[in-house]
């Protein structure tokens, strides 16, 4: 979501940095950016492991402290600041709906903040309690890491596979996956999607993304329409 369908001008990275500073976690913004797209708790587990090791008695409490503070900062941000779709996102959604192509959103965010964003954008309209919609809703399904066993988000393929299951799609070669981070690309590859693409106007540059296996790098979501037409 953030960086791909929802504008992110380093706000999520800033929330990580604030939480890290408050809770004594030493890390720079470049390191945090390298983990964008990950399950957010895994970011803190990884960073604290690097700082003190998992055998340290303080490891688990420090992870929870940092993650709890991060959630408070992140939720406050999305509740109080502007939330806007990325360039070309709504145009793409409209075009996909016209072609009866289903839209599934997955994310590194946990469900609470995902719901805040969906509500602020109006994308939650018509979704049921399992976050599944219909052909008439703006999106057809939303999946988060905390709905996967052991919170295993990207680069594992499970969020993509769960979205497929909820939408009754059995063939991964009928799925196009698009994100804005290296782990987005890896998740699409691991799920054996027809295409695993990334936009370069999100959290990572073209130069950074082209270092990872991919089926294409786009300037923005607008370009996805022509890719689909030419399949």
């Amino acid at each position: 979501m953030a960086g791909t369908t929802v504008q992110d001008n380093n706000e999520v990275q800033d929330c990580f940095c604030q939480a890290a500073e408050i809770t004594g976690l030493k890390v720079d913004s470049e390191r945090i950016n390298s983990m964008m797209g990950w399950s957010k708790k895994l970011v803190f587990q990884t960073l604290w492991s690097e700082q003190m090791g998992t055998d340290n008695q303080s490891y688990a409490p420090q992870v929870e402290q940092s993650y709890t503070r991060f959630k408070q900062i992140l939720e406050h941000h999305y509740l109080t600041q502007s939330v806007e779709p990325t360039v070309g996102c709504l145009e793409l959604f409209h075009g996909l709906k016209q072609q009866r192509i289903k839209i599934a959103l997955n994310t590194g965010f946990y469900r609470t903040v995902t719901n805040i964003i969906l509500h602020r954008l109006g994308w939650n309209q018509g979704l049921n309690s399992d976050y599944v919609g219909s052909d008439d809703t703006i999106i057809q399904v939303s999946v988060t890491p905390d709905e996967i066993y052991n919170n295993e988000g990207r680069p594992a393929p499970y969020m993509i596979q769960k979205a497929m299951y909820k939408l009754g799609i059995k063939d991964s070669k009928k799925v196009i996956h698009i994100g804005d981070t290296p782990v987005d690309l890896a998740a699409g590859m691991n799920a054996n999607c027809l295409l695993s693409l990334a936009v370069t106007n999100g959290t990572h540059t073209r130069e950074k993304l082209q270092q990872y296996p991919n089926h294409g790098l786009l300037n923005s979501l607008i370009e996805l329409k022509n890719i689909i037409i030419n399949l």
Side-chain angles (χ1 to χ4, degrees), residues 4-5 86-89 92 178 199 219-225:
T4 306
T5 57
T86 55
V87 173
C89 177
L92 175 66
I178 186 163
V199 291
N219 292 319
S220 74
L221 286 179
I222 295 173
E223 296 182 6
L224 183 56
K225 291 176 63 177

Side-chain angles (χ1 to χ4, degrees), residues 155-220:
Y158 306 132
M159 285 196 292
I160 297 172
Q161 292 167 343
K162 183 159 189 174
M164 290 173 58
Y165 174 77
K166 288 186 173 186
L167 295 176
I169 298 170
K170 298 179 180 179
D171 184 0
S172 63
K173 291 302 183 182
K174 293 184 177 180
V175 177
I176 294 174
H177 186 256
I178 186 163
D180 72 314
T181 68
V183 290
D184 285 317
L185 287 170
M189 291 291 187
N190 291 336
N192 196 33
C193 294
L194 174 65
L195 298 175
S196 185
L197 310 169
V199 291
T200 59
N201 62 340
T203 58
H204 285 70
T205 64
R206 179 178 295 273
E207 290 71 27
K208 183 69 174 178
L209 291 168
Q210 66 187 7
Q211 300 175 38
Y212 299 87
N214 67 82
H215 296 124
L217 303 177
L218 316 183
N219 292 319
S220 74

Side-chain angles (χ1 to χ4, degrees), residues 98-212:
Q98 286 185 321
Q99 297 179 68
R100 303 186 70 81
I101 296 174
K102 299 181 185 300
I103 300 168
L105 297 184
N106 67 42
T107 178
F109 291 138
Y110 52 97
R111 175 50 67 186
T112 299
V113 77
T114 298
N115 282 353
I116 292 171
I117 296 170
L118 292 176
H119 176 74
R120 292 288 307 276
L121 292 169
W123 294 353
N124 63 330
Q125 295 177 17
L127 301 184
N128 65 20
S129 60
D130 203 28
Y131 306 103
V132 177
S134 67
D135 290 341
D136 296 322
T137 53
I138 297 172
I139 65 170
Q140 280 64 61
V141 69
S142 164
V143 179
T144 65
D146 44 348
E147 294 156 0
I148 305 298
Y149 176 73
N150 206 29
N151 286 289
E152 190 166 1
R154 310 170 184 125
Y158 306 132
M159 285 196 292
I160 297 172
Q161 292 167 343
K162 183 159 189 174
M164 290 173 58
Y165 174 77
K166 288 186 173 186
L167 295 176
I169 298 170
K170 298 179 180 179
D171 184 0
S172 63
K173 291 302 183 182
K174 293 184 177 180
V175 177
I176 294 174
H177 186 256
I178 186 163
D180 72 314
T181 68
V183 290
D184 285 317
L185 287 170
M189 291 291 187
N190 291 336
N192 196 33
C193 294
L194 174 65
L195 298 175
S196 185
L197 310 169
V199 291
T200 59
N201 62 340
T203 58
H204 285 70
T205 64
R206 179 178 295 273
E207 290 71 27
K208 183 69 174 178
L209 291 168
Q210 66 187 7
Q211 300 175 38
Y212 299 87

